[in-house]
């Protein structure tokens, strides 16, 4: 059996293979509510054989959305439709997972596909954005309000409340979004975080918001279910967060009982020079994997588009899990086709057997 299609046990959960549908914003929700569109979208990736299907960045508060159309989990009314989605994902043998997120200073936008534009607070559907420091992401976006200590405590509790709702909805894994320049990443990086209190300055202080959030999520999340954290391993800027910081952070996450670190990069500043290509973020995942020596599981993501590429990453010991994004947008049945290419077994839906 290939490494990619070998099962993986994480606490009480068994991933039938090492492919996770990467969280990708769809901007198709209204007031945060999932719809039939989300059921079919995520259900298709589950029928297509992914080991886990992770829902997109799902806002823990209404003003934590990136865009107006983001999924939300800030009120109990969101649970009903999310439950339908998790039930269907489970019926296929896949693991339902959800990414919990707050956009910070990159929120209040209208977005659809490749199009997006910022919304000011006085515009229809716009809202005031907040961040560790009052520094705008770009000249065209809002200057955020610097968060007070009360804001910090309130949002950390909102992450915990969202995790509790995720559990009620049937999710079996949560991922805390700490990447791509959104709120928690804004605390971690020295570029947008210029605070002078105990949430700014040293790396230990900048990581405090994340660590305290993890503690609050763990208070409501069962110990037998896994928790992942997505990080940006580098800001791609000389004076920004870097891979050494990410190794340090990953060791701390392992010490706090986090099960998976999902290694992405970038998003903190608009002018970073990033050479995007096949597997361009893999060296970061590989470095963390080797430095941590199995203290936690490492996920690789970013331009991983073929079965043999994913298999090679795993057999070389560069990562434990493969997060697939855009390839699964192009082809929801990537996992079934990959199994065939690697001569491994995958549970093809009975009505589809003639095609495989």
């Amino acid at each position: 059996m290939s490494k990619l299609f070998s099962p993986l046990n994480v606490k009480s959960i068994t991933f039938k293979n090492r492919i996770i549908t990467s969280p990708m914003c769809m901007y198709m929700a209204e007031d945060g509510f999932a719809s039939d569109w989300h059921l079919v979208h995520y259900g298709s990736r589950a029928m297509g054989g992914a080991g886990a299907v992770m829902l997109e960045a799902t806002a823990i508060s209404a003003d934590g959305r990136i865009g107006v159309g983001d999924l939300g989990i800030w009120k109990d009314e969101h649970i009903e439709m999310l439950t339908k989605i998790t039930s269907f994902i489970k019926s296929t043998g896949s693991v339902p997972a959800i990414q919990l997120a707050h956009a910070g200073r990159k929120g209040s936008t209208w977005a659809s596909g490749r199009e997006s534009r910022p919304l000011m607070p006085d515009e229809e559907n716009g809202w005031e954005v907040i961040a560790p420091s009052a520094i705008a992401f770009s000249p065209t976006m809002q200057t955020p309000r610097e968060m007070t200590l009360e804001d910090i405590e309130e949002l950390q509790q909102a992450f915990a409340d969202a995790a509790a709702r995720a559990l009620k909805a049937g999710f079996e894994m949560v991922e805390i979004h700490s990447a791509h320049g959104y709120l928690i990443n804004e605390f971690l990086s020295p570029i947008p975080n210029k605070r002078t209190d105990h949430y700014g300055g040293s790396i230990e202080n900048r990581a405090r918001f994340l660590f305290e959030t993890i503690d609050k999520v763990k208070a409501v999340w069962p110990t037998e279910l896994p928790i992942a954290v997505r990080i940006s391993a580098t800001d791609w800027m000389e004076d920004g967060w870097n891979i050494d910081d990410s190794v340090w952070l990953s060791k701390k996450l392992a010490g706090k009982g986090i099960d998976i670190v999902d290694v992405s990069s970038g998003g903190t500043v608009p002018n970073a020079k990033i050479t995007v290509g096949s597997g361009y973020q893999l060296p970061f995942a590989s470095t963390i994997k080797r430095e941590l020596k199995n203290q936690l599981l490492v996920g690789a993501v970013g331009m991983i588009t073929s079965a043999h590429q994913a298999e090679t990453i795993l057999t070389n010991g560069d990562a434990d899990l493969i997060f697939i994004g855009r390839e699964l947008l192009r082809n929801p049945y990537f996992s079934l086709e990959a199994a065939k290419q690697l001569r491994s077994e995958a549970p093809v839906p009975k009505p589809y057997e003639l095609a495989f």
Side-chain angles (χ1 to χ4, degrees):
M1 177 182 289
S2 70
K3 186 80 172 177
L4 187 61
F5 286 92
S6 60
L8 177 65
N9 296 320
V10 184
K11 291 186 171 171
S12 66
I13 299 301
T14 299
F15 296 91
K16 63 185 177 183
N17 59 54
R18 312 298 180 97
I19 297 172
I20 296 181
T21 302
S22 196
M24 292 173 285
C25 291
M26 295 290 108
Y27 305 118
M28 291 293 288
E30 292 187 14
D31 191 26
F33 282 92
S35 66
D36 288 346
W37 194 92
H38 297 90
L39 175 62
V40 173
H41 169 66
Y42 291 111
S44 297
R45 276 74 198 166
M47 274 207 306
V53 175
M54 186 175 292
L55 271 60
E56 65 204 78
T58 304
I60 54 98
S61 63
D63 62 3
R65 290 174 292 174
I66 304 166
V68 175
D70 279 12
L71 274 184
I73 193 165
W74 65 81
K75 51 187 175 184
D76 290 346
E77 289 80 2
H78 288 139
I79 294 174
E80 182 178 358
M81 190 64 194
L82 293 174
T83 302
K84 291 182 181 178
I85 296 172
T86 61
S87 297
F88 185 83
I89 292 172
K90 287 179 191 176
S91 75
T92 69
S94 184
V95 174
I98 187 169
Q99 187 184 61
L100 305 179
H102 190 291
R105 66 177 182 166
K106 293 175 75 175
S108 189
T109 70
W110 174 90
S112 179
R114 293 180 184 274
E115 302 176 62
S116 69
R117 62 180 176 86
L119 297 173
M120 296 298 118
D122 57 353
E123 286 187 86
E124 184 179 5
N125 295 321
W127 61 89
E128 179 188 53
V129 298
I130 56 175
S133 302
I135 303 171
F137 175 72
S138 73
T140 62
M141 299 188 76
Q142 285 186 48
T143 298
R145 177 174 62 78
E146 180 170 311
M147 292 171 68
T148 64
L149 295 180
E150 289 74 20
D151 292 326
I152 288 173
E153 187 172 357
E154 181 181 321
L155 281 191
Q156 289 172 336
Q157 187 58 48
F159 269 97
D161 293 343
R165 292 188 190 99
L167 183 66
K168 286 182 181 175
F171 289 99
E172 296 177 322
M173 182 168 80
V174 293
E175 178 173 89
I176 299 172
H177 196 356
S178 309
H180 300 168
Y182 299 119
L183 183 71
I184 298 178
N185 195 185
E186 290 162 14
F187 272 95
L188 290 171
S189 171
I191 295 176
N193 184 349
K194 301 297 184 186
R195 297 181 73 93
T196 56
D197 62 7
H198 61 301
Y199 289 96
S202 68
I203 190 171
E204 291 84 1
N205 280 357
R206 286 181 277 119
R208 189 184 308 279
F209 182 91
L210 172 59
F211 295 155
E212 291 178 351
T213 300
I214 290 170
D215 290 342
K216 294 208 172 187
V217 168
K218 288 181 69 175
V220 302
W221 191 251
T223 56
E224 67 270 20
L225 294 179
I227 302 176
V229 173
R230 171 166 276 191
I231 65 169
S232 277
T234 175
D235 288 334
W236 298 96
M237 299 290 284
E238 282 190 10
D239 56 348
W241 183 268
N242 60 42
I243 183 61
D244 293 335
D245 296 329
S246 291
V247 169
W248 174 88
L249 178 63
S250 297
K251 289 178 178 176
K252 294 290 185 181
L253 293 177
K256 294 191 77 66
I258 293 299
D259 303 285
I260 299 167
V261 60
D262 170 11
V263 183
S264 189
S265 73
T268 310
V269 293
N271 57 340
K273 301 288 188 271
I274 306 174
T275 305
V276 178
S278 177
Y280 72 106
Q281 295 177 145
L282 180 60
F284 304 126
S286 177
T287 297
I288 292 171
K289 173 74 178 163
R290 283 172 171 72
E291 289 287 335
L292 264 74
K293 297 181 174 60
N294 298 322
Q295 293 178 56
L296 48 56
L297 298 169
V298 175
V301 65
M303 301 292 279
I304 300 170
T305 58
S306 77
H308 290 285
Q309 181 189 13
E311 179 69 10
T312 299
I313 289 169
L314 297 178
T315 54
N316 285 346
D318 290 325
D320 302 289
L321 291 157
I322 305 295
F323 286 68
I324 303 285
R326 280 169 275 193
E327 189 59 32
L328 275 170
L329 290 184
R330 288 185 284 268
N331 179 9
Y333 306 107
F334 166 83
S335 304
L336 298 180
E337 293 181 359
K340 190 175 182 180
Q341 291 171 24
L342 297 174
R343 299 181 180 180
S344 297
E345 290 187 7
V348 176
K350 191 71 176 172
Y352 293 4
E353 285 181 347
L354 285 175
F356 291 89

